[in-house]
Amino acid sequence: MSFLHINNVHKRFGETHVLKGVDIAIEQGDFLVLVGPSGCGKSTLLNMIAGLDSISEGELLLDGRCINDVHPSRRDIAMVFQSYALYPSMTVAGNIGFGLEMRKVPRKERREAVDRVAKLLQIENLLDRKPGQLSGGQRQRVAMGRALVRDPQLFLFDEPLSNLDAKLRVDMRSEIKQLHQRLKTTIVYVTHDQVEAMTLATRIAVMRVGELQQLGTPHEVYDDPNNLFVAGFMGSPSMNLVKARIVEHDGVLVAQVATGDTTLALPIVRDREALSDWCGRDVILGLRPEAITDPASANHRDGNIHEAELPVDLIEPTGADLYVVTTLGDASVNARMRPGTPLRPGERTRFAFDVSRMVVFDPESERRIRDEQVVDSALEETA
Amino acid sequence: MSNASPDRDGGARERLQRWLPKLVLSPSCVLVLFFVYGFIAWTSYISFSDSGMMPDYTWVGLHQWSRLWTSWTWGIALHNIWVFGLLYIVSCIVLGLILAILLDQRIRAEGVLRTIYLYPMALSFIVTGTAWQWFLNPGLGLEKTMHDLGWQSFSFNWLIDSNMAIYTVVIAAVWQATGFVMAMFLAGLRGIDGEMIKAAQIDGAPAWKIYARIIIPQLRPVFLSAVVVLAHLAIKSFDLIVAMTGGGPGNATAVPATFMYSYAFSRNEMGIAAASAVFMLAVIAALIIPYLYSELREPRS
Amino acid sequence: MSAASPAARRGAATRAVLYAILLVFAVIYLMPLYVMLTTSFKTLEEIHQGNMLALPGEWTLAPWREAWGSACIGLECNGVHGYFFNSIKIVVPAVLISGLLGAFNGYVLTKWKFRGHKVVFGLILFSCFIPFQIILLPMARVLGLLHLANSTGGLVLVHIVYGIGFTTLFFRNFYASFPDELVRAAQLDGAGFFTIFFRILLPASVPIIVVTIIWQFTNVWNDFLFGVSFASGDSAPITVALNNLVNSSTGVKAYNVNMAAAMVAAVPTLIVYILAGKYFLRGLMSGSVKG
Ligand SMILES: Nc1ncnc2c1ncn2[C@@H]1O[C@H](COP(=O)(O)OP(=O)(O)OP(=O)(O)O)[C@@H](O)[C@H]1O
Ligand SMILES: [Mg+2]
């Protein structure tokens, strides 16, 4: 049985249906990251787990117990808020200890617990200050301390790093990761940040207007997206999406892309079974920028590299990488090349496509066209 | 499990917690419903009843209202409040805006000046009335002072001139409220985006033009608030008139508020008093309700 | 340098005019207070002979003493001191109770919203703006029924009821700017309704408490309409006593005593204003414009 089970949960605010049946299950020690565009219901879902918003329909199980009607203070859940929500008139120590005080923990024990957490977060020297006298990063730490001190079953984070500057955000990100690895707690974490989601999560849930699009490991969500939305949402720069047609060529299944003067034919190596039904039909190809490179930096070992000469429209050096923009079909396509590759707009150069990473979508339903998953059938057997 | 009973205890406490907010709000709601809306209903009913010295609940329709409308004093009161209100609002806004613009020129002693312009607002109208009554007293006040200073022909006896007395009230009222209007405008001026003004300066617009074309049009919400607040103060004005002129000479400075008071408590004509009060409420409601509605509407789309 | 000089001179001249205008206005605004003060220290003779604007030739405290202790108001000749204390007896409980109710209302209306909370707030808020003439008649009867007519207790009740609107407005606008997450965090920490209010919100409310107290203090102290309608004789507040003193038609007008009495009535609010004018202004503004 899973540790946290969100079972077909709905939320309505009057007429508006904000969550439309969300199903998520995670294990103890998991780090679940909720991502999705603004307003898709991430905070609402988090608040429902915390008990701060009521559940319109469905069930919430924590460690096998239904907690739908349990008061927030008795769910054994702690939450870190985006605005930190530090009590302005209490000292840092008072803030961290408040939850214990409300639970009638004796003063001495409280003091010890606060000191322990303060040490863990390296804020011992701030304990007597008021929140108004702290920097953004320090406030963030205090907010985390307030959650940690109670040693709850489950931690909830609602965009905890979004108010920090870029550098601090990276530092805090790795601290949260270390903390998770050390304490082995279960965490549900909301963020807008792609990198945060990829680096922190053991499971990512992608949401869109109140519906779960995909739940999986970061790797699954990134490389094996369920649909066009997930493919486009995850990753920055985002996945290249190109119109193509599936045809059979000398017994080989290929995806044909018209590129101005010639036609590019990319052999299909993934999901071949499912795509054989799509011969002669239009599809949408998805290729990550890092799957299109210069021939020298491509991985030729598996023989999945397909090369083609294409015009260079634009080059965008970012320092670490060089993004080269070309045109496939009627779409601009981003390729990631080695920095320093000598290229100029208007030239033609050879691009290497790693077709093993190519994913294909149904343009009508926007769903992924994929072979029956091994995992799925294994699950069905056990069931 | 052993924690079944604390859970049940918790249930009762949680139910109480759920009701607490409404419980805490209810005394105020009861007070307001009874003492505001209940009283409004009662007074409205009385305005259609045959009440004189004591309430009498016999329904007489519009009888009291027609008596009110044919009353000579009520006519004066309406005329006065119209004159008073218009002059009061316009003068306060003009003076307040001028003072605010002048004060907004990086004046060194701004804090002190602001305090001086604003302090009358802290005074009771009765104190203000007493002070101005003395100040404008024809025998001893300003007129005598001017004569002493050698300006023999100076004459200022408005306070006892029934055609002019209402204007003395306007002067005192404007003196009291201008500072507040100035403060509102000053806050508005400080809220205007400085970049736009800099852009206009770079375009070479002279200062007065920047004010006339760019800044003042942006103060529209402040104008609206000022008009609403001042109009509301004007209609409620009672203290100042009682203290300065007592409604006199004769009935010359009667306004609806003093009219209502005298019919209610000296002439024992409850019905007419109630009708005049309902009329005042209706005017204020027509002014305030749309304003409150627009102010409280959610800015969210 | 030489080219800039005429422009600079013009600028300096403009500023001189600017300061002159502001100064003239300041003099006009201070004039009544000045006249009131100086008159209160003059003898009646000097008032009749001398110049209103001149400083007292001979300073005397007699008018103040008379105003405080022996001036005749109605039939009694005990000065205004009794009425001054009446006002204090009215102001203190009225301000405290209406402030506390307003704080609770603001807390509930922003942090424990329920269906229809806006309607409730609108109804409470509208009570700030009614012309009080509409409630004079029924209030006089209700106070009579409650045996509170002509008592300071009755005026306390009246000021609480009609003060709730403003105090609720102040606290509601203040608490609306508090993040809701604060309350949510406290709930997760296990704090209940009153704990959250007294431990978390109230300690952070000092600025709005000051505004509310100043606003209510000024309003209640300066009230005349309720005082004159519901409290006559011994229980009248200072404003009513002052008006009776000044506008009583009997005897010779003792202007110096009148002015001293007016100063007695004005001093408490003036002191508050001078000490906390900043907050006073904020109160005025939030009373008119939504925060
Ligand atoms: N109290 C409420 N009443 C009505 N609608 C609400 C309420 N709270 C949230 N919503 C709506 O529910 C939807 C989801 O809101 P939520 O705050 O969960 O989004 P989110 O995914 O956290 O967005 P963001 O990334 O911007 O934080 C939004 O469309 C919002 O307008
Ligand atoms: Mg959110």
Side-chain angles (χ1 to χ4, degrees):
Chain A
M1 193 170 30
S2 42
F3 182 68
L4 173 69
H5 190 181
I6 300 163
N7 189 1
N8 191 28
V9 158
H10 289 256
K11 178 71 189 176
R12 293 184 192 86
F13 286 112
E15 292 292 288
T16 41
H17 203 167
V18 176
L19 291 180
K20 304 165 188 165
V22 175
D23 272 304
I24 296 175
I26 56 168
E27 298 305 322
Q28 187 142 29
D30 260 340
F31 197 125
L32 171 69
V33 173
L34 299 175
V35 291
S38 197
C40 71
K42 306 178 296 283
S43 300
T44 306
L45 184 57
L46 214 60
N47 284 331
M48 286 163 83
I49 299 174
L52 299 168
D53 275 342
S54 64
I55 296 171
S56 306
E57 196 185 316
E59 225 186 0
L60 200 62
L61 298 156
L62 183 64
D63 207 7
R65 189 167 71 120
C66 174
I67 55 167
N68 276 27
D69 296 321
V70 178
H71 191 263
S73 62
R74 243 167 296 129
R75 291 190 180 194
D76 204 9
I77 286 174
M79 185 156 171
V80 177
F81 293 89
Q82 181 172 12
S83 66
Y84 313 139
L86 301 180
Y87 310 132
S89 52
M90 292 183 203
T91 61
V92 168
N95 262 282
I96 297 177
F98 188 69
L100 298 178
E101 188 189 334
M102 290 296 114
R103 285 175 174 72
K104 307 207 165 54
V105 174
R107 184 177 297 266
K108 185 155 162 288
E109 265 175 66
R110 218 155 70 203
R111 186 79 224 179
E112 284 164 10
V114 170
D115 286 342
R116 197 177 58 240
V117 168
K119 198 165 163 208
L120 183 72
L121 293 168
Q122 297 159 4
I123 48 174
E124 296 126 298
N125 53 333
L126 306 178
L127 284 178
D128 295 324
R129 292 214 203 153
K130 294 272 177 74
Q133 303 163 309
L134 301 177
S135 70
Q138 290 169 333
R139 277 180 218 181
Q140 213 281 327
R141 273 167 212 266
V142 177
M144 298 230 313
R146 201 167 60 180
L148 284 172
V149 75
R150 280 178 34 206
D151 192 23
Q153 289 197 60
L154 181 65
F155 282 99
L156 307 177
F157 287 84
D158 194 353
E159 306 193 35
L161 305 183
S162 62
N163 286 339
L164 301 180
D165 62 48
K167 164 100 173 57
L168 209 51
R169 189 149 53 192
V170 174
D171 294 346
M172 286 308 296
R173 190 175 75 207
S174 52
E175 271 186 52
I176 291 178
K177 179 144 189 152
Q178 281 169 17
L179 220 53
H180 175 242
Q181 282 170 353
R182 188 138 42 108
L183 303 174
K184 307 227 166 6
T185 45
T186 318
I187 294 177
V188 182
Y189 188 106
V190 170
T191 182
H192 266 115
D193 187 319
Q194 306 279 336
V195 188
E196 244 171 67
M198 292 301 290
T199 49
L200 290 174
T202 62
R203 314 278 276 160
I204 291 182
V206 184
M207 292 177 54
R208 176 195 196 184
V209 287
E211 280 171 301
L212 182 67
Q213 302 291 304
Q214 186 166 6
L215 173 68
T217 63
H219 171 71
E220 281 167 355
V221 170
Y222 189 79
D223 281 327
D224 210 5
N226 269 350
N227 55 34
L228 268 179
F229 175 78
V230 176
F233 188 78
M234 294 302 295
S236 168
S238 59
M239 186 184 266
N240 299 304
L241 298 169
V242 182
K243 279 199 193 117
R245 175 179 289 249
I246 304 290
V247 291
E248 197 164 339
H249 221 323
D250 301 336
V252 186
L253 217 50
V254 295
Q256 271 185 348
V257 185
T259 64
D261 40 1
T262 59
T263 314
L264 184 67
L266 297 168
I268 303 283
V269 300
R270 217 174 155 184
D271 304 318
R272 233 181 296 191
E273 207 173 305
L275 282 166
S276 56
D277 298 341
W278 282 75
C279 262
R281 287 161 72 182
D282 288 336
V283 293
I284 291 176
L285 293 186
L287 266 168
R288 294 264 170 218
E290 62 269 26
I292 313 173
T293 57
D294 50 300
S297 37
N299 176 6
H300 290 273
R301 249 177 312 166
D302 299 332
N304 287 330
I305 301 302
H306 183 91
E307 291 185 22
E309 199 178 80
L310 293 167
V312 175
D313 294 343
L314 197 68
I315 53 173
E316 295 176 332
T318 65
D321 296 303
L322 179 71
Y323 286 99
V324 180
V325 181
T326 181
T327 311
L328 277 186
D330 48 10
S332 285
V333 166
N334 250 311
R336 194 173 94 182
M337 302 200 172
R338 240 177 330 137
T341 313
L343 286 175
R344 228 174 279 130
E347 281 178 359
R348 291 178 75 86
T349 189
R350 288 194 78 74
F351 287 75
F353 294 83
D354 183 349
V355 289
S356 70
R357 299 194 56 188
M358 192 164 76
V359 286
V360 185
F361 301 93
D362 176 347
E364 296 285 313
S365 69
E366 306 202 336
R367 280 214 206 92
R368 177 80 181 283
I369 304 167
R370 56 149 63 114
D371 289 350
E372 199 88 349
Q373 272 173 312
V374 192
V375 198
D376 281 356
S377 52
L379 266 178
E380 268 158 74
E381 272 160 37
T382 52
Chain B
M1 263 205 209
S2 63
N3 62 359
S5 91
D7 253 19
R8 215 177 310 130
D9 276 6
R13 216 175 44 225
E14 269 151 34
R15 258 200 307 285
L16 178 66
Q17 284 281 336
R18 241 199 310 280
W19 281 102
L20 260 183
K22 284 175 200 163
L23 219 59
V24 163
L25 192 64
S26 52
S28 302
C29 287
V30 169
L31 286 179
V32 167
L33 278 182
F34 180 76
F35 285 100
V36 177
Y37 297 96
F39 281 11
I40 289 176
W42 194 85
T43 307
S44 306
Y45 183 87
I46 289 295
S47 76
F48 295 105
S49 77
D50 199 16
S51 306
M53 187 159 144
M54 294 304 274
D56 172 346
Y57 298 103
T58 14
W59 181 270
V60 293
L62 289 174
H63 177 60
Q64 307 284 10
W65 286 85
S66 72
R67 284 177 69 203
L68 174 71
W69 232 255
T70 50
S71 155
W72 177 249
T73 327
W74 179 248
I76 296 176
L78 281 185
H79 177 250
N80 276 341
I81 194 64
W82 177 238
V83 171
F84 172 78
L86 200 70
L87 281 174
Y88 172 64
I89 293 171
V90 170
S91 321
C92 280
I93 286 184
V94 170
L95 271 177
L97 181 61
I98 291 174
L99 284 179
I101 290 176
L102 295 182
L103 262 192
D104 198 31
Q105 310 301 318
R106 285 192 222 96
I107 296 298
R108 205 167 299 148
E110 190 198 309
V112 178
L113 288 170
R114 221 175 34 204
T115 310
I116 291 174
Y117 298 151
L118 199 61
Y119 86 89
M121 202 70 194
L123 299 179
S124 155
F125 282 112
I126 302 297
V127 173
T128 305
T130 306
W132 280 87
Q133 190 191 31
W134 163 234
F135 195 65
L136 299 179
N137 182 305
L140 297 167
L142 196 63
E143 192 177 282
K144 176 164 178 289
T145 310
M146 289 304 173
H147 293 178
D148 288 353
L149 290 176
W151 186 353
Q152 291 298 335
S153 60
F154 183 87
S155 151
F156 194 92
N157 59 356
W158 289 7
L159 201 60
I160 51 166
D161 178 341
S162 49
N163 288 322
M164 303 306 280
I166 191 72
Y167 300 107
T168 61
V169 183
V170 173
I171 293 174
V174 169
W175 175 80
Q176 180 140 17
T178 314
F180 171 49
V181 179
M182 172 214 71
M184 287 175 81
F185 278 118
L186 203 54
L189 287 172
R190 299 279 148 88
I192 289 177
D193 177 18
E195 305 248 304
M196 199 176 351
I197 296 164
K198 273 184 209 145
Q201 277 169 341
I202 290 168
D203 285 345
W208 67 267
K209 221 174 200 167
I210 295 178
Y211 272 101
R213 300 282 298 279
I214 298 177
I215 297 179
I216 293 176
Q218 282 198 62
L219 293 175
R220 242 194 28 206
V222 186
F223 277 99
L224 182 66
S225 299
V227 168
V228 169
V229 170
L230 291 171
H232 159 246
L233 285 177
I235 295 170
K236 279 165 99 169
S237 62
F238 170 75
D239 316 14
L240 189 61
I241 290 180
V242 170
M244 267 185 89
T245 65
N251 280 326
T253 52
V255 291
T258 58
F259 176 95
M260 188 274 163
Y261 184 84
S262 77
Y263 273 74
F265 295 110
S266 349
R267 301 199 188 193
N268 295 323
E269 289 272 16
M270 260 180 140
I272 295 186
S276 65
V278 171
F279 179 79
M280 291 171 68
L281 176 71
V283 173
I284 290 192
L287 199 76
I288 291 284
I289 289 177
Y291 175 73
L292 285 186
Y293 184 78
S294 69
E295 285 277 304
L296 290 178
R297 207 182 37 205
E298 284 295 313
R300 241 193 297 159
S301 57
Chain C
M1 169 88 195
S2 59
S5 154
R9 217 177 304 142
R10 187 143 30 91
T14 317
R15 283 197 85 70
V17 171
L18 187 68
Y19 275 96
I21 295 173
L22 287 170
L23 219 63
V24 167
F25 271 106
V27 169
I28 292 173
Y29 273 91
L30 284 173
M31 190 67 75
L33 185 66
Y34 167 81
V35 169
M36 205 162 42
L37 257 178
T38 50
T39 306
S40 74
F41 290 108
K42 288 178 184 172
T43 61
L44 212 49
E45 266 163 71
E46 196 181 342
I47 291 173
H48 283 287
Q49 284 153 15
N51 187 319
M52 176 178 71
L53 298 178
L55 283 170
E58 179 197 339
W59 293 77
T60 168
L61 275 175
W64 283 76
R65 243 178 267 124
E66 193 183 335
W68 183 253
S70 64
C72 292
I73 295 158
L75 297 175
E76 309 216 12
C77 293
N78 293 323
V80 297
H81 74 273
Y83 305 98
F84 185 88
F85 293 120
N86 280 347
S87 276
I88 290 181
K89 266 189 279 181
I90 296 165
V91 162
V92 173
V95 169
L96 292 183
I97 297 173
S98 65
L100 192 68
L101 286 174
F104 276 127
N105 295 346
Y107 172 51
V108 172
L109 288 173
T110 53
K111 298 295 171 248
W112 300 87
K113 291 183 190 157
F114 50 89
R115 270 175 93 90
H117 68 94
K118 264 191 212 153
V119 176
V120 171
F121 178 58
L123 286 177
I124 294 180
L125 187 58
F126 182 66
S127 70
C128 302
F129 296 101
I130 57 168
F132 292 122
Q133 281 73 22
I134 196 85
I135 56 91
L136 288 185
L137 291 167
M139 188 53 118
R141 294 191 66 75
V142 167
L143 288 179
L145 290 175
L146 295 174
H147 300 290
L148 286 172
N150 291 329
S151 74
T152 52
L155 281 180
V156 170
L157 174 70
V158 175
H159 283 298
I160 290 172
V161 170
Y162 301 106
I164 287 177
F166 273 112
T167 57
T168 302
L169 171 70
F170 292 157
F171 278 98
R172 194 204 81 117
N173 284 354
F174 186 73
Y175 289 144
S177 66
F178 263 56
D180 291 347
E181 291 185 346
L182 218 53
V183 173
R184 300 186 150 215
Q187 272 181 292
L188 281 179
D189 270 345
F193 178 83
F194 284 112
T195 315
I196 296 176
F197 180 69
F198 285 109
R199 289 288 305 275
I200 294 164
L201 264 73
L202 206 56
S205 311
V206 176
I208 203 65
I209 292 174
V210 174
V211 167
T212 308
I213 289 182
I214 291 173
W215 172 264
Q216 278 299 89
F217 176 85
T218 326
N219 260 356
V220 177
W221 186 272
N222 288 344
D223 161 69
F224 176 71
L225 181 62
F226 291 148
V228 77
S229 305
F230 306 135
S232 52
D234 284 348
S235 58
I238 180 91
T239 47
V240 173
L242 174 64
N243 186 57
N244 289 346
L245 173 73
V246 173
N247 289 327
S248 67
S249 41
T250 53
V252 187
K253 285 217 176 218
Y255 292 106
N256 50 358
V257 177
N258 291 354
M259 292 304 134
M263 283 309 300
V264 169
V267 156
T269 49
L270 273 182
I271 288 178
V272 166
Y273 170 71
I274 287 164
L275 290 183
K278 198 169 65 192
Y279 297 103
F280 178 77
L281 183 61
R282 209 178 295 163
L284 285 177
M285 302 297 289
S286 48
S288 60
V289 199
K290 198 183 78 167

